[in-house]
Amino acid sequence: MTTKNHQANTDDRTQKQSAGDIQLPRLSDLLEAALDYHRRGWSIIPTTINRARGNWKKAAVPWKSFQITPPTESEVRGMFHCKRNLTGVAVVLGPVSGNLYARDFDDLTAYANWSTAHPDLAKALPTVATGRGIHIYFRSTKPVTTKELDDGELRGEGGYIVLPPSVHHTGTLYRW
């Protein structure tokens, strides 16, 4: 097999995982999204499966350095090149991504309650449907730390959160 054919087969793979036979996003789709997010000034990393723990959102690369300095475009390309079992794209939260933070609602009822209480914010803030709930993205000039809440989490500095077109362990794709 030539290198060119190998890359095309790897980029367009639709391999299924044994855990529920869930189809992973194509590497080319993940890379395209990662580069788009990178152009927005976000610190981007790929995610993968930790089968031992059933975690579909494990960082696929060492990522602590990306809490301080975002990867270059070349590094983003390298992180997504010919990797296996990638499940998605994540953004490192905090100053490294332009003070980007997220509210993670674990279920739709919690999000519905919040959006009813804050209709202007619910309409204006970028929103992602996940496999079981909603992510709301926002910027803050004040530091935000990750906190467990009754209805989900406030995701802040020192963490990351998964973005579209990642796949949830249920097989649902994250979508804007």
Side-chain angles (χ1 to χ4, degrees):
M1 178 183 297
T2 67
T3 304
K4 185 176 180 180
N5 285 342
H6 172 70
Q7 182 173 356
N9 288 341
T10 303
D11 287 348
D12 292 331
R13 67 141 161 77
T14 55
Q15 138 185 350
K16 292 188 175 194
Q17 299 301 311
S18 60
D21 283 337
I22 292 173
Q23 190 168 323
L24 297 179
R26 293 183 329 185
L27 282 177
S28 58
D29 292 340
L30 293 175
L31 176 59
E32 183 180 326
L35 291 172
D36 178 54
Y37 298 135
H38 178 266
R39 285 182 206 104
R40 296 176 193 207
W42 297 357
S43 185
I44 297 300
I45 60 171
T47 59
T48 190
I49 304 166
N50 178 335
R51 291 186 190 278
R53 294 188 176 167
N55 179 0
W56 283 63
K57 300 179 249 183
K58 180 185 181 318
V61 296
W63 65 281
K64 293 295 183 185
S65 65
F66 300 129
Q67 290 180 0
I68 300 163
T69 305
T72 64
E73 180 176 326
S74 177
E75 287 173 317
V76 171
R77 287 181 184 281
M79 288 188 279
F80 286 86
H81 183 70
C82 292
K83 296 271 187 192
R84 298 192 60 157
N85 299 323
L86 290 186
T87 57
V89 179
V91 59
V92 179
L93 299 169
V96 72
S97 293
N99 296 314
L100 184 69
Y101 302 100
R103 181 67 168 86
D104 182 356
F105 292 95
D106 288 337
D107 64 62
L108 295 177
T109 301
Y111 170 73
N113 292 338
W114 177 85
S115 65
T116 299
H118 307 282
D120 292 341
L121 289 175
K123 192 182 293 185
L125 293 175
T127 304
V128 168
T130 72
R132 69 175 180 178
I134 299 288
H135 292 169
I136 304 293
Y137 293 85
F138 65 95
R139 294 191 188 276
S140 175
T141 56
K142 296 179 183 177
V144 174
T145 56
T146 297
K147 297 177 189 168
E148 293 285 332
L149 304 171
D150 292 339
D151 59 356
E153 291 179 301
L154 178 62
R155 306 284 305 176
E157 288 182 46
Y160 61 85
I161 195 162
V162 177
L163 298 163
S166 303
V167 66
H168 190 264
H169 69 85
T170 61
T172 303
L173 287 179
Y174 287 64
R175 66 187 190 291
W176 289 104

